[in-house]
Amino acid sequence: MAGNNHGHTPAAWTGVTIAFIGFCVAAAFVVLANPIGFWAGMVVVVLGGVVGAAMRAAGLGQAPKRQPQAQPQAQTQQ
Protein backbone atom coordinates (compact mmCIF):
# COMPACT_ATOMS: atom_id res chain seq x y z
CA MET A 1 0.00 0.00 0.00
CA ALA A 2 2.89 2.37 0.55
CA GLY A 3 3.61 2.33 -3.17
CA ASN A 4 0.31 3.94 -4.12
CA ASN A 5 0.14 6.55 -1.33
CA HIS A 6 -3.04 4.98 0.10
CA GLY A 7 -4.24 6.87 3.15
CA HIS A 8 -1.32 9.30 3.36
CA THR A 9 -3.41 12.45 3.12
CA PRO A 10 -4.45 15.12 5.61
CA ALA A 11 -8.09 14.03 5.26
CA ALA A 12 -7.29 10.41 6.11
CA TRP A 13 -5.01 11.24 9.04
CA THR A 14 -7.49 13.72 10.53
CA GLY A 15 -10.51 11.43 10.16
CA VAL A 16 -8.73 8.43 11.66
CA THR A 17 -7.29 10.47 14.54
CA ILE A 18 -10.70 11.87 15.49
CA ALA A 19 -12.29 8.41 15.22
CA PHE A 20 -9.51 6.89 17.36
CA ILE A 21 -10.11 9.50 20.07
CA GLY A 22 -13.83 8.69 19.93
CA PHE A 23 -13.13 4.97 20.36
CA CYS A 24 -10.89 5.71 23.35
CA VAL A 25 -13.58 7.88 24.95
CA ALA A 26 -16.25 5.24 24.32
CA ALA A 27 -14.04 2.48 25.75
CA ALA A 28 -13.30 4.49 28.89
CA PHE A 29 -17.00 5.03 29.51
CA VAL A 30 -17.74 1.34 28.94
CA VAL A 31 -15.33 0.56 31.77
CA LEU A 32 -16.98 3.23 33.91
CA ALA A 33 -20.44 1.79 33.05
CA ASN A 34 -21.70 5.14 31.81
CA PRO A 35 -23.90 4.68 28.70
CA ILE A 36 -24.25 8.41 28.01
CA GLY A 37 -20.47 8.82 27.85
CA PHE A 38 -20.23 5.76 25.60
CA TRP A 39 -22.69 7.23 23.12
CA ALA A 40 -20.90 10.57 23.25
CA GLY A 41 -17.73 8.72 22.22
CA MET A 42 -19.59 7.02 19.38
CA VAL A 43 -20.78 10.43 18.18
CA VAL A 44 -17.13 11.51 18.06
CA VAL A 45 -16.34 8.40 15.97
CA VAL A 46 -19.02 9.35 13.43
CA LEU A 47 -17.77 12.94 13.51
CA GLY A 48 -14.34 11.65 12.46
CA GLY A 49 -15.85 10.12 9.34
CA VAL A 50 -17.78 13.28 8.54
CA VAL A 51 -14.69 15.48 8.98
CA GLY A 52 -12.60 13.14 6.82
CA ALA A 53 -15.22 13.14 4.06
CA ALA A 54 -15.56 16.93 4.21
CA MET A 55 -11.80 17.37 3.97
CA ARG A 56 -11.68 14.97 1.02
CA ALA A 57 -14.43 16.97 -0.69
CA ALA A 58 -12.40 20.12 -0.05
CA GLY A 59 -9.50 18.61 -1.99
CA LEU A 60 -7.32 17.40 0.88
CA GLY A 61 -7.78 13.71 0.06
CA GLN A 62 -6.26 11.49 -2.58
CA ALA A 63 -7.47 12.10 -6.12
CA PRO A 64 -9.55 9.22 -7.46
CA LYS A 65 -7.89 7.04 -10.08
CA ARG A 66 -9.47 7.10 -13.50
CA GLN A 67 -10.04 3.66 -14.98
CA PRO A 68 -9.36 3.44 -18.71
CA GLN A 69 -12.45 2.93 -20.80
CA ALA A 70 -12.64 -0.55 -22.28
CA GLN A 71 -12.80 -0.49 -26.05
CA PRO A 72 -15.26 -2.91 -27.60
CA GLN A 73 -13.38 -5.53 -29.57
CA ALA A 74 -14.56 -6.62 -32.97
CA GLN A 75 -15.75 -10.20 -33.07
CA THR A 76 -13.83 -12.40 -35.46
CA GLN A 77 -15.47 -14.95 -37.75
CA GLN A 78 -14.19 -18.50 -37.47
Side-chain angles (χ1 to χ4, degrees):
M1 282 192 234
N4 65 3
N5 201 22
H6 177 75
H8 299 288
T9 63
W13 279 100
T14 304
V16 168
T17 301
I18 293 171
F20 178 72
I21 291 168
F23 277 119
C24 291
V25 168
F29 282 109
V30 164
V31 173
L32 295 172
N34 184 335
I36 294 174
F38 166 77
W39 287 110
M42 297 312 302
V43 168
V44 174
V45 171
V46 172
L47 181 66
V50 170
V51 168
M55 289 179 70
R56 182 175 179 214
L60 296 172
Q62 186 173 0
K65 289 186 177 180
R66 300 278 184 216
Q67 296 293 333
Q69 296 290 331
Q71 298 293 331
Q73 295 181 357
Q75 294 182 356
T76 59
Q77 297 286 334
Q78 293 183 3

